[in-house]
Short mmCIF file of all heavy atoms in Angstrom, two decimals:
data_model
loop_
_atom_site.label_atom_id
_atom_site.label_comp_id
_atom_site.label_asym_id
_atom_site.label_seq_id
_atom_site.Cartn_x
_atom_site.Cartn_y
_atom_site.Cartn_z
N MET A 16 5.93 -14.73 8.95
CA MET A 16 4.82 -13.86 8.64
C MET A 16 4.27 -14.27 7.27
O MET A 16 4.91 -14.13 6.26
CB MET A 16 5.33 -12.41 8.60
CG MET A 16 4.26 -11.44 8.32
SD MET A 16 4.74 -9.68 8.13
CE MET A 16 6.21 -9.45 8.98
N SER A 17 3.06 -14.78 7.26
CA SER A 17 2.46 -15.17 5.99
C SER A 17 1.32 -14.24 5.58
O SER A 17 0.96 -14.17 4.43
CB SER A 17 1.96 -16.61 6.06
OG SER A 17 1.00 -16.73 7.07
N LYS A 18 0.75 -13.55 6.53
CA LYS A 18 -0.29 -12.58 6.25
C LYS A 18 0.23 -11.19 6.60
O LYS A 18 0.86 -11.00 7.61
CB LYS A 18 -1.55 -12.85 7.08
CG LYS A 18 -2.39 -13.98 6.56
CD LYS A 18 -3.71 -13.99 7.28
CE LYS A 18 -4.66 -14.92 6.57
NZ LYS A 18 -6.01 -14.82 7.12
N PRO A 19 -0.07 -10.21 5.75
CA PRO A 19 0.39 -8.85 6.07
C PRO A 19 -0.39 -8.25 7.23
O PRO A 19 -1.52 -8.65 7.51
CB PRO A 19 0.11 -8.09 4.77
CG PRO A 19 -0.97 -8.83 4.11
CD PRO A 19 -0.79 -10.28 4.49
N LYS A 20 0.22 -7.32 7.90
CA LYS A 20 -0.42 -6.60 9.00
C LYS A 20 -1.36 -5.54 8.43
O LYS A 20 -0.97 -4.76 7.57
CB LYS A 20 0.66 -5.93 9.86
CG LYS A 20 0.14 -5.06 10.94
CD LYS A 20 1.29 -4.37 11.65
CE LYS A 20 0.80 -3.30 12.59
NZ LYS A 20 1.93 -2.52 13.13
N CYS A 21 -2.58 -5.52 8.89
CA CYS A 21 -3.55 -4.50 8.47
C CYS A 21 -3.18 -3.22 9.20
O CYS A 21 -3.18 -3.16 10.43
CB CYS A 21 -4.97 -4.94 8.83
SG CYS A 21 -6.22 -3.69 8.43
N CYS A 22 -2.89 -2.18 8.45
CA CYS A 22 -2.47 -0.91 9.04
C CYS A 22 -3.65 -0.02 9.40
O CYS A 22 -3.65 0.64 10.42
CB CYS A 22 -1.55 -0.18 8.08
SG CYS A 22 -0.08 -1.13 7.73
N GLN A 23 -4.62 0.02 8.53
CA GLN A 23 -5.84 0.76 8.80
C GLN A 23 -6.95 0.25 7.91
O GLN A 23 -6.70 -0.27 6.84
CB GLN A 23 -5.63 2.27 8.61
CG GLN A 23 -5.36 2.72 7.19
CD GLN A 23 -5.19 4.23 7.10
OE1 GLN A 23 -4.77 4.87 8.04
NE2 GLN A 23 -5.53 4.80 5.96
N LYS A 24 -8.17 0.42 8.39
CA LYS A 24 -9.32 -0.12 7.67
C LYS A 24 -9.93 0.95 6.75
O LYS A 24 -11.13 1.19 6.77
CB LYS A 24 -10.35 -0.60 8.70
CG LYS A 24 -11.28 -1.65 8.15
CD LYS A 24 -12.18 -2.21 9.23
CE LYS A 24 -13.26 -3.04 8.59
NZ LYS A 24 -14.25 -3.47 9.55
N MET A 25 -9.06 1.57 5.98
CA MET A 25 -9.43 2.55 4.96
C MET A 25 -8.21 2.80 4.11
O MET A 25 -7.09 2.49 4.50
CB MET A 25 -9.93 3.85 5.59
CG MET A 25 -8.85 4.61 6.33
SD MET A 25 -9.42 6.17 7.02
CE MET A 25 -10.09 5.61 8.57
N PRO A 26 -8.41 3.35 2.91
CA PRO A 26 -7.25 3.62 2.05
C PRO A 26 -6.47 4.85 2.51
O PRO A 26 -6.99 5.68 3.27
CB PRO A 26 -7.88 3.86 0.68
CG PRO A 26 -9.24 4.35 0.96
CD PRO A 26 -9.68 3.65 2.23
N TYR A 27 -5.24 4.94 2.06
CA TYR A 27 -4.45 6.15 2.19
C TYR A 27 -4.65 6.91 0.87
O TYR A 27 -4.15 6.49 -0.16
CB TYR A 27 -2.97 5.84 2.35
CG TYR A 27 -2.60 5.13 3.62
CD1 TYR A 27 -2.58 3.74 3.69
CD2 TYR A 27 -2.25 5.86 4.75
CE1 TYR A 27 -2.23 3.09 4.85
CE2 TYR A 27 -1.91 5.21 5.93
CZ TYR A 27 -1.89 3.83 5.97
OH TYR A 27 -1.54 3.18 7.13
N VAL A 28 -5.42 7.98 0.90
CA VAL A 28 -5.67 8.74 -0.31
C VAL A 28 -4.67 9.91 -0.31
O VAL A 28 -4.75 10.80 0.52
CB VAL A 28 -7.11 9.26 -0.38
CG1 VAL A 28 -7.33 10.06 -1.66
CG2 VAL A 28 -8.10 8.10 -0.31
N LEU A 29 -3.72 9.83 -1.25
CA LEU A 29 -2.65 10.80 -1.31
C LEU A 29 -2.51 11.37 -2.72
O LEU A 29 -2.80 10.69 -3.70
CB LEU A 29 -1.32 10.13 -0.91
CG LEU A 29 -1.30 9.46 0.46
CD1 LEU A 29 -0.01 8.68 0.64
CD2 LEU A 29 -1.46 10.49 1.55
N LYS A 30 -2.03 12.59 -2.80
CA LYS A 30 -1.78 13.21 -4.11
C LYS A 30 -0.55 12.53 -4.72
O LYS A 30 0.51 12.55 -4.16
CB LYS A 30 -1.53 14.70 -3.95
CG LYS A 30 -1.16 15.39 -5.24
CD LYS A 30 -1.89 16.67 -5.42
CE LYS A 30 -1.43 17.44 -6.65
NZ LYS A 30 -1.85 16.91 -7.89
N GLY A 31 -0.76 11.94 -5.87
CA GLY A 31 0.31 11.25 -6.56
C GLY A 31 1.10 12.18 -7.45
O GLY A 31 0.57 13.15 -7.99
N GLU A 32 2.40 11.90 -7.56
CA GLU A 32 3.29 12.64 -8.44
C GLU A 32 3.79 11.69 -9.52
O GLU A 32 3.70 10.47 -9.38
CB GLU A 32 4.47 13.18 -7.65
CG GLU A 32 4.08 14.11 -6.52
CD GLU A 32 5.28 14.52 -5.68
OE1 GLU A 32 6.44 14.42 -6.16
OE2 GLU A 32 5.06 14.91 -4.53
N LYS A 33 4.36 12.24 -10.57
CA LYS A 33 4.94 11.43 -11.64
C LYS A 33 6.29 10.91 -11.14
O LYS A 33 7.32 11.59 -11.28
CB LYS A 33 5.12 12.24 -12.91
CG LYS A 33 3.82 12.65 -13.56
CD LYS A 33 4.09 13.45 -14.81
CE LYS A 33 2.79 13.95 -15.40
NZ LYS A 33 3.02 14.77 -16.59
N LYS A 34 6.29 9.74 -10.51
CA LYS A 34 7.52 9.14 -9.98
C LYS A 34 7.25 7.69 -9.61
O LYS A 34 6.12 7.23 -9.67
CB LYS A 34 8.05 9.92 -8.79
CG LYS A 34 7.17 9.85 -7.54
CD LYS A 34 7.83 10.59 -6.40
CE LYS A 34 7.18 10.29 -5.07
NZ LYS A 34 7.86 10.94 -3.96
N LYS A 35 8.30 7.01 -9.17
CA LYS A 35 8.17 5.62 -8.73
C LYS A 35 7.85 5.60 -7.24
O LYS A 35 8.39 6.38 -6.46
CB LYS A 35 9.45 4.83 -8.98
CG LYS A 35 9.61 4.47 -10.42
CD LYS A 35 10.76 3.48 -10.60
CE LYS A 35 10.85 3.16 -12.07
NZ LYS A 35 11.85 2.15 -12.35
N TYR A 36 6.96 4.67 -6.88
CA TYR A 36 6.60 4.44 -5.49
C TYR A 36 6.84 2.98 -5.15
O TYR A 36 6.69 2.11 -6.00
CB TYR A 36 5.11 4.73 -5.26
CG TYR A 36 4.72 6.18 -5.37
CD1 TYR A 36 4.22 6.69 -6.56
CD2 TYR A 36 4.84 7.05 -4.30
CE1 TYR A 36 3.85 8.02 -6.69
CE2 TYR A 36 4.46 8.38 -4.41
CZ TYR A 36 3.98 8.86 -5.60
OH TYR A 36 3.60 10.18 -5.71
N ALA A 37 7.18 2.71 -3.90
CA ALA A 37 7.31 1.34 -3.42
C ALA A 37 6.26 1.18 -2.31
O ALA A 37 6.43 1.66 -1.19
CB ALA A 37 8.72 1.08 -2.87
N TRP A 38 5.17 0.49 -2.64
CA TRP A 38 4.07 0.28 -1.69
C TRP A 38 4.42 -0.85 -0.74
O TRP A 38 4.86 -1.93 -1.14
CB TRP A 38 2.80 -0.06 -2.47
CG TRP A 38 1.59 -0.36 -1.64
CD1 TRP A 38 0.81 0.52 -0.95
CD2 TRP A 38 1.00 -1.65 -1.42
NE1 TRP A 38 -0.22 -0.12 -0.33
CE2 TRP A 38 -0.12 -1.47 -0.61
CE3 TRP A 38 1.32 -2.94 -1.85
CZ2 TRP A 38 -0.93 -2.53 -0.20
CZ3 TRP A 38 0.52 -3.97 -1.44
CH2 TRP A 38 -0.58 -3.77 -0.61
N CYS A 39 4.22 -0.64 0.53
CA CYS A 39 4.49 -1.65 1.57
C CYS A 39 3.46 -2.77 1.47
O CYS A 39 2.26 -2.53 1.59
CB CYS A 39 4.42 -1.00 2.94
SG CYS A 39 4.45 -2.18 4.30
N ALA A 40 3.92 -3.98 1.24
CA ALA A 40 3.03 -5.14 1.14
C ALA A 40 2.93 -5.90 2.46
O ALA A 40 1.99 -6.67 2.65
CB ALA A 40 3.52 -6.08 0.05
N CYS A 41 3.88 -5.69 3.37
CA CYS A 41 3.89 -6.46 4.63
C CYS A 41 3.08 -5.81 5.74
O CYS A 41 2.63 -6.47 6.66
CB CYS A 41 5.33 -6.68 5.10
SG CYS A 41 6.18 -5.21 5.71
N GLY A 42 2.92 -4.49 5.67
CA GLY A 42 2.18 -3.78 6.71
C GLY A 42 3.03 -3.36 7.90
O GLY A 42 2.53 -2.79 8.85
N GLU A 43 4.32 -3.61 7.86
CA GLU A 43 5.22 -3.31 8.99
C GLU A 43 5.94 -1.98 8.86
O GLU A 43 6.55 -1.51 9.81
CB GLU A 43 6.25 -4.42 9.17
CG GLU A 43 5.64 -5.78 9.52
CD GLU A 43 4.94 -5.80 10.89
OE1 GLU A 43 5.32 -4.99 11.78
OE2 GLU A 43 4.02 -6.60 11.07
N SER A 44 5.87 -1.33 7.72
CA SER A 44 6.58 -0.07 7.50
C SER A 44 6.05 1.02 8.44
O SER A 44 4.86 1.12 8.68
CB SER A 44 6.40 0.38 6.04
OG SER A 44 6.96 1.67 5.86
N SER A 45 6.97 1.85 8.92
CA SER A 45 6.54 3.00 9.73
C SER A 45 6.28 4.20 8.84
O SER A 45 5.98 5.28 9.33
CB SER A 45 7.60 3.32 10.78
OG SER A 45 8.83 3.62 10.17
N ASN A 46 6.39 4.01 7.53
CA ASN A 46 6.17 5.07 6.54
C ASN A 46 4.98 4.71 5.64
O ASN A 46 5.06 4.87 4.43
CB ASN A 46 7.45 5.26 5.71
CG ASN A 46 7.37 6.46 4.81
OD1 ASN A 46 6.78 7.46 5.14
ND2 ASN A 46 7.97 6.35 3.64
N GLN A 47 3.91 4.19 6.21
CA GLN A 47 2.74 3.74 5.44
C GLN A 47 2.19 4.83 4.56
O GLN A 47 2.18 5.99 4.96
CB GLN A 47 1.65 3.24 6.38
CG GLN A 47 1.95 1.94 7.04
CD GLN A 47 2.10 0.81 6.05
OE1 GLN A 47 1.41 0.72 5.05
NE2 GLN A 47 3.02 -0.08 6.35
N PRO A 48 1.76 4.52 3.36
CA PRO A 48 1.61 3.19 2.79
C PRO A 48 2.86 2.72 2.02
O PRO A 48 2.80 1.75 1.28
CB PRO A 48 0.44 3.37 1.81
CG PRO A 48 0.62 4.76 1.29
CD PRO A 48 1.14 5.54 2.49
N PHE A 49 3.97 3.41 2.25
CA PHE A 49 5.17 3.11 1.47
C PHE A 49 6.18 2.28 2.26
O PHE A 49 6.18 2.27 3.48
CB PHE A 49 5.79 4.41 0.96
CG PHE A 49 4.79 5.26 0.22
CD1 PHE A 49 4.39 6.48 0.70
CD2 PHE A 49 4.22 4.79 -0.96
CE1 PHE A 49 3.44 7.24 0.04
CE2 PHE A 49 3.28 5.54 -1.64
CZ PHE A 49 2.89 6.77 -1.14
N CYS A 50 7.03 1.60 1.52
CA CYS A 50 8.03 0.69 2.10
C CYS A 50 9.16 1.44 2.77
O CYS A 50 9.66 2.44 2.24
CB CYS A 50 8.58 -0.21 0.98
SG CYS A 50 9.85 -1.34 1.54
N ASP A 51 9.59 0.95 3.92
CA ASP A 51 10.79 1.48 4.58
C ASP A 51 11.83 0.38 4.81
O ASP A 51 12.79 0.57 5.54
CB ASP A 51 10.44 2.17 5.88
CG ASP A 51 9.96 1.23 6.98
OD1 ASP A 51 9.86 0.00 6.75
OD2 ASP A 51 9.67 1.72 8.09
N GLY A 52 11.60 -0.79 4.22
CA GLY A 52 12.54 -1.90 4.35
C GLY A 52 12.22 -2.85 5.48
O GLY A 52 12.95 -3.82 5.71
N SER A 53 11.12 -2.64 6.19
CA SER A 53 10.75 -3.49 7.34
C SER A 53 10.45 -4.93 6.94
O SER A 53 10.41 -5.81 7.79
CB SER A 53 9.54 -2.92 8.07
OG SER A 53 9.86 -1.68 8.65
N HIS A 54 10.24 -5.20 5.66
CA HIS A 54 9.93 -6.56 5.18
C HIS A 54 11.15 -7.47 5.17
O HIS A 54 11.01 -8.68 5.01
CB HIS A 54 9.34 -6.49 3.77
CG HIS A 54 10.32 -5.97 2.76
ND1 HIS A 54 10.51 -4.61 2.57
CD2 HIS A 54 11.17 -6.60 1.94
CE1 HIS A 54 11.45 -4.45 1.64
NE2 HIS A 54 11.86 -5.64 1.24
N LYS A 55 12.32 -6.92 5.35
CA LYS A 55 13.55 -7.73 5.28
C LYS A 55 13.45 -8.91 6.26
O LYS A 55 13.06 -8.76 7.39
CB LYS A 55 14.76 -6.89 5.57
CG LYS A 55 14.97 -5.81 4.53
CD LYS A 55 16.41 -5.48 4.30
CE LYS A 55 16.69 -4.35 3.39
NZ LYS A 55 15.91 -4.10 2.27
N GLY A 56 13.75 -10.10 5.77
CA GLY A 56 13.66 -11.30 6.58
C GLY A 56 12.29 -11.97 6.52
O GLY A 56 12.06 -12.96 7.19
N THR A 57 11.38 -11.42 5.72
CA THR A 57 10.04 -12.01 5.55
C THR A 57 9.89 -12.48 4.11
O THR A 57 10.80 -12.30 3.30
CB THR A 57 8.93 -10.99 5.85
OG1 THR A 57 8.87 -10.02 4.80
CG2 THR A 57 9.15 -10.28 7.18
N ASN A 58 8.74 -13.03 3.79
CA ASN A 58 8.49 -13.45 2.40
C ASN A 58 7.79 -12.35 1.60
O ASN A 58 7.31 -12.61 0.51
CB ASN A 58 7.67 -14.74 2.38
CG ASN A 58 6.33 -14.61 3.07
OD1 ASN A 58 6.16 -13.76 3.94
ND2 ASN A 58 5.38 -15.44 2.72
N PHE A 59 7.74 -11.14 2.13
CA PHE A 59 7.10 -10.02 1.44
C PHE A 59 8.11 -9.16 0.71
O PHE A 59 9.26 -9.04 1.14
CB PHE A 59 6.35 -9.13 2.44
CG PHE A 59 5.15 -9.77 3.04
CD1 PHE A 59 5.21 -10.33 4.30
CD2 PHE A 59 3.95 -9.83 2.35
CE1 PHE A 59 4.10 -10.93 4.87
CE2 PHE A 59 2.84 -10.43 2.90
CZ PHE A 59 2.91 -10.99 4.16
N THR A 60 7.66 -8.57 -0.39
CA THR A 60 8.44 -7.57 -1.10
C THR A 60 7.52 -6.42 -1.47
O THR A 60 6.31 -6.64 -1.68
CB THR A 60 9.08 -8.12 -2.39
OG1 THR A 60 8.05 -8.66 -3.21
CG2 THR A 60 10.11 -9.20 -2.10
N PRO A 61 8.03 -5.21 -1.53
CA PRO A 61 7.16 -4.09 -1.90
C PRO A 61 6.72 -4.20 -3.35
O PRO A 61 7.37 -4.85 -4.17
CB PRO A 61 8.05 -2.86 -1.68
CG PRO A 61 9.45 -3.37 -1.78
CD PRO A 61 9.41 -4.79 -1.28
N ILE A 62 5.62 -3.55 -3.65
CA ILE A 62 5.14 -3.48 -5.03
C ILE A 62 5.56 -2.11 -5.57
O ILE A 62 5.25 -1.08 -4.99
CB ILE A 62 3.61 -3.66 -5.11
CG1 ILE A 62 3.25 -5.08 -4.69
CG2 ILE A 62 3.10 -3.34 -6.51
CD1 ILE A 62 1.77 -5.38 -4.69
N ILE A 63 6.29 -2.15 -6.68
CA ILE A 63 6.80 -0.93 -7.30
C ILE A 63 5.79 -0.43 -8.32
O ILE A 63 5.32 -1.17 -9.17
CB ILE A 63 8.16 -1.18 -7.99
CG1 ILE A 63 9.15 -1.83 -7.01
CG2 ILE A 63 8.71 0.11 -8.58
CD1 ILE A 63 9.46 -1.02 -5.77
N VAL A 64 5.46 0.85 -8.20
CA VAL A 64 4.52 1.50 -9.12
C VAL A 64 5.24 2.66 -9.78
O VAL A 64 5.80 3.52 -9.10
CB VAL A 64 3.27 2.03 -8.37
CG1 VAL A 64 2.38 2.83 -9.28
CG2 VAL A 64 2.52 0.91 -7.72
N ASP A 65 5.25 2.67 -11.11
CA ASP A 65 5.80 3.79 -11.86
C ASP A 65 4.63 4.67 -12.25
O ASP A 65 3.99 4.46 -13.30
CB ASP A 65 6.56 3.28 -13.08
CG ASP A 65 7.41 4.35 -13.73
OD1 ASP A 65 7.45 5.49 -13.21
OD2 ASP A 65 8.03 4.05 -14.77
N ASN A 66 4.30 5.64 -11.41
CA ASN A 66 3.13 6.47 -11.62
C ASN A 66 3.36 7.47 -12.75
O ASN A 66 4.33 8.22 -12.72
CB ASN A 66 2.78 7.21 -10.32
CG ASN A 66 1.44 7.88 -10.39
OD1 ASN A 66 0.47 7.28 -10.83
ND2 ASN A 66 1.38 9.13 -9.96
N GLU A 67 2.47 7.48 -13.72
CA GLU A 67 2.62 8.30 -14.93
C GLU A 67 1.82 9.60 -14.90
O GLU A 67 2.00 10.43 -15.77
CB GLU A 67 2.18 7.49 -16.15
CG GLU A 67 2.94 6.20 -16.34
CD GLU A 67 4.25 6.41 -17.08
OE1 GLU A 67 4.33 7.31 -17.90
OE2 GLU A 67 5.20 5.64 -16.82
N LYS A 68 0.92 9.76 -13.91
CA LYS A 68 0.10 10.96 -13.90
C LYS A 68 -0.07 11.49 -12.49
O LYS A 68 0.08 10.77 -11.51
CB LYS A 68 -1.26 10.69 -14.53
CG LYS A 68 -2.05 9.59 -13.85
CD LYS A 68 -3.34 9.31 -14.60
CE LYS A 68 -4.07 8.17 -13.93
NZ LYS A 68 -5.34 7.88 -14.54
N GLU A 69 -0.39 12.77 -12.41
CA GLU A 69 -0.63 13.39 -11.12
C GLU A 69 -2.12 13.29 -10.77
O GLU A 69 -2.96 13.22 -11.65
CB GLU A 69 -0.19 14.84 -11.15
CG GLU A 69 1.30 14.99 -11.35
CD GLU A 69 1.77 16.42 -11.36
OE1 GLU A 69 0.95 17.35 -11.27
OE2 GLU A 69 2.99 16.62 -11.46
N GLY A 70 -2.42 13.25 -9.50
CA GLY A 70 -3.80 13.15 -9.04
C GLY A 70 -3.88 12.24 -7.84
O GLY A 70 -2.91 11.58 -7.48
N ASN A 71 -5.01 12.20 -7.22
CA ASN A 71 -5.19 11.40 -6.01
C ASN A 71 -5.07 9.91 -6.31
O ASN A 71 -5.59 9.43 -7.33
CB ASN A 71 -6.53 11.69 -5.35
CG ASN A 71 -6.55 13.03 -4.66
OD1 ASN A 71 -5.50 13.62 -4.38
ND2 ASN A 71 -7.72 13.53 -4.37
N ILE A 72 -4.40 9.21 -5.41
CA ILE A 72 -4.26 7.76 -5.50
C ILE A 72 -4.78 7.16 -4.18
O ILE A 72 -4.41 7.63 -3.10
CB ILE A 72 -2.78 7.33 -5.68
CG1 ILE A 72 -2.21 7.94 -6.97
CG2 ILE A 72 -2.65 5.81 -5.70
CD1 ILE A 72 -0.71 7.74 -7.14
N ALA A 73 -5.63 6.15 -4.29
CA ALA A 73 -6.15 5.44 -3.10
C ALA A 73 -5.30 4.19 -2.89
O ALA A 73 -5.57 3.15 -3.49
CB ALA A 73 -7.61 5.11 -3.27
N TRP A 74 -4.27 4.30 -2.06
CA TRP A 74 -3.39 3.17 -1.74
C TRP A 74 -4.08 2.30 -0.69
O TRP A 74 -4.63 2.81 0.28
CB TRP A 74 -2.07 3.67 -1.17
CG TRP A 74 -1.29 4.58 -2.07
CD1 TRP A 74 -1.28 5.96 -2.01
CD2 TRP A 74 -0.43 4.22 -3.13
NE1 TRP A 74 -0.46 6.46 -3.00
CE2 TRP A 74 0.09 5.40 -3.70
CE3 TRP A 74 -0.04 2.99 -3.67
CZ2 TRP A 74 0.97 5.40 -4.77
CZ3 TRP A 74 0.85 3.01 -4.74
CH2 TRP A 74 1.34 4.19 -5.27
N CYS A 75 -4.04 0.99 -0.87
CA CYS A 75 -4.65 0.09 0.10
C CYS A 75 -3.99 0.23 1.46
O CYS A 75 -2.77 0.20 1.58
CB CYS A 75 -4.51 -1.37 -0.40
SG CYS A 75 -5.15 -2.57 0.76
N GLY A 76 -4.81 0.34 2.48
CA GLY A 76 -4.30 0.44 3.85
C GLY A 76 -4.49 -0.84 4.65
O GLY A 76 -3.80 -1.08 5.62
N CYS A 77 -5.42 -1.71 4.21
CA CYS A 77 -5.71 -2.94 4.96
C CYS A 77 -4.82 -4.09 4.51
O CYS A 77 -4.73 -5.10 5.19
CB CYS A 77 -7.18 -3.33 4.83
SG CYS A 77 -7.67 -3.92 3.18
N LYS A 78 -4.15 -3.94 3.37
CA LYS A 78 -3.24 -4.94 2.79
C LYS A 78 -3.96 -6.20 2.33
O LYS A 78 -3.34 -7.22 2.11
CB LYS A 78 -2.10 -5.30 3.74
CG LYS A 78 -1.36 -4.12 4.32
CD LYS A 78 -0.74 -3.24 3.27
CE LYS A 78 -0.03 -2.06 3.90
NZ LYS A 78 0.47 -1.10 2.95
N ALA A 79 -5.29 -6.13 2.15
CA ALA A 79 -6.06 -7.31 1.73
C ALA A 79 -6.69 -7.12 0.35
O ALA A 79 -7.44 -7.98 -0.10
CB ALA A 79 -7.16 -7.60 2.75
N THR A 80 -6.39 -6.04 -0.33
CA THR A 80 -6.95 -5.78 -1.65
C THR A 80 -6.60 -6.86 -2.66
O THR A 80 -5.54 -7.49 -2.56
CB THR A 80 -6.46 -4.41 -2.18
OG1 THR A 80 -7.05 -4.14 -3.44
CG2 THR A 80 -4.94 -4.37 -2.34
N SER A 81 -7.44 -7.05 -3.63
CA SER A 81 -7.08 -7.97 -4.73
C SER A 81 -6.58 -7.18 -5.93
O SER A 81 -6.36 -7.73 -6.99
CB SER A 81 -8.30 -8.82 -5.11
OG SER A 81 -9.36 -8.00 -5.52
N ASN A 82 -6.39 -5.87 -5.72
CA ASN A 82 -5.88 -4.99 -6.76
C ASN A 82 -4.65 -4.23 -6.26
O ASN A 82 -4.52 -3.03 -6.45
CB ASN A 82 -6.98 -4.00 -7.20
CG ASN A 82 -6.59 -3.19 -8.39
OD1 ASN A 82 -5.86 -3.63 -9.26
ND2 ASN A 82 -7.08 -1.95 -8.44
N ALA A 83 -3.76 -4.92 -5.57
CA ALA A 83 -2.59 -4.30 -4.95
C ALA A 83 -1.77 -3.54 -5.97
O ALA A 83 -1.60 -4.02 -7.09
CB ALA A 83 -1.73 -5.35 -4.27
N PRO A 84 -1.36 -2.36 -5.62
CA PRO A 84 -1.36 -1.71 -4.31
C PRO A 84 -2.54 -0.77 -4.07
O PRO A 84 -2.56 -0.03 -3.10
CB PRO A 84 -0.06 -0.90 -4.36
CG PRO A 84 0.01 -0.43 -5.78
CD PRO A 84 -0.52 -1.61 -6.58
N PHE A 85 -3.53 -0.84 -4.94
CA PHE A 85 -4.63 0.12 -4.86
C PHE A 85 -5.83 -0.46 -4.09
O PHE A 85 -6.08 -1.65 -4.12
CB PHE A 85 -5.05 0.54 -6.27
CG PHE A 85 -3.88 1.01 -7.09
CD1 PHE A 85 -3.41 0.25 -8.14
CD2 PHE A 85 -3.23 2.19 -6.78
CE1 PHE A 85 -2.31 0.66 -8.90
CE2 PHE A 85 -2.13 2.62 -7.51
CZ PHE A 85 -1.67 1.86 -8.57
N CYS A 86 -6.57 0.44 -3.45
CA CYS A 86 -7.75 0.04 -2.69
C CYS A 86 -8.83 -0.46 -3.64
O CYS A 86 -9.09 0.14 -4.68
CB CYS A 86 -8.26 1.25 -1.91
SG CYS A 86 -9.78 0.93 -1.00
N ASP A 87 -9.45 -1.58 -3.26
CA ASP A 87 -10.59 -2.09 -4.02
C ASP A 87 -11.85 -2.21 -3.15
O ASP A 87 -12.82 -2.83 -3.54
CB ASP A 87 -10.27 -3.43 -4.68
CG ASP A 87 -10.08 -4.57 -3.69
OD1 ASP A 87 -10.16 -4.32 -2.45
OD2 ASP A 87 -9.86 -5.70 -4.13
N GLY A 88 -11.81 -1.64 -1.95
CA GLY A 88 -12.95 -1.67 -1.05
C GLY A 88 -13.01 -2.88 -0.13
O GLY A 88 -13.94 -3.01 0.67
N THR A 89 -12.03 -3.78 -0.21
CA THR A 89 -12.03 -4.98 0.63
C THR A 89 -12.09 -4.64 2.10
O THR A 89 -12.68 -5.38 2.88
CB THR A 89 -10.75 -5.83 0.34
OG1 THR A 89 -10.80 -6.24 -1.04
CG2 THR A 89 -10.68 -7.05 1.21
N HIS A 90 -11.53 -3.50 2.50
CA HIS A 90 -11.50 -3.14 3.92
C HIS A 90 -12.91 -3.07 4.53
O HIS A 90 -13.09 -3.30 5.70
CB HIS A 90 -10.78 -1.78 4.12
CG HIS A 90 -11.45 -0.66 3.40
ND1 HIS A 90 -11.12 -0.33 2.09
CD2 HIS A 90 -12.40 0.23 3.79
CE1 HIS A 90 -11.87 0.72 1.72
NE2 HIS A 90 -12.65 1.06 2.73
N SER A 91 -13.92 -2.77 3.71
CA SER A 91 -15.28 -2.67 4.23
C SER A 91 -15.87 -4.03 4.59
O SER A 91 -16.89 -4.10 5.28
CB SER A 91 -16.18 -1.98 3.21
OG SER A 91 -16.29 -2.75 2.03
N LYS A 92 -15.20 -5.11 4.16
CA LYS A 92 -15.69 -6.46 4.46
C LYS A 92 -14.88 -7.14 5.55
O LYS A 92 -15.17 -8.27 5.92
CB LYS A 92 -15.64 -7.31 3.20
CG LYS A 92 -16.51 -6.76 2.08
CD LYS A 92 -16.34 -7.54 0.80
CE LYS A 92 -17.07 -6.83 -0.31
NZ LYS A 92 -16.28 -6.70 -1.51
N LEU A 93 -13.85 -6.47 6.06
CA LEU A 93 -12.98 -7.08 7.08
C LEU A 93 -13.57 -6.90 8.46
O LEU A 93 -14.18 -5.88 8.77
CB LEU A 93 -11.59 -6.42 7.05
CG LEU A 93 -10.77 -6.57 5.78
CD1 LEU A 93 -9.46 -5.80 5.92
CD2 LEU A 93 -10.51 -8.02 5.47
N SER A 94 -13.36 -7.88 9.30
CA SER A 94 -13.71 -7.73 10.70
C SER A 94 -12.42 -7.72 11.51
O SER A 94 -11.65 -8.67 11.48
CB SER A 94 -14.61 -8.88 11.16
OG SER A 94 -13.96 -10.12 11.00
N LEU A 95 -12.16 -6.61 12.15
CA LEU A 95 -10.91 -6.45 12.91
C LEU A 95 -11.20 -6.30 14.38
O LEU A 95 -12.15 -5.83 14.81
CB LEU A 95 -10.13 -5.25 12.42
CG LEU A 95 -9.72 -5.29 10.96
CD1 LEU A 95 -9.06 -3.99 10.57
CD2 LEU A 95 -8.75 -6.42 10.71
#
């Protein structure tokens, strides 16, 4: 697996808490947008975010952002 699986063509906008998150970079997690260990055996690793503030976070859902793990609007340019 060299390209991540696109989970959805929009961000996951979730209320963030002051804690660490592990964002799924492979797209195989059943707990999107977060890692559940499904990347094991691939060349992907989750991106760890130590979130310092509360408020909405737009996590990338298409896995093609250039600002991982956050949405940068790339999904609007994808053809699926």
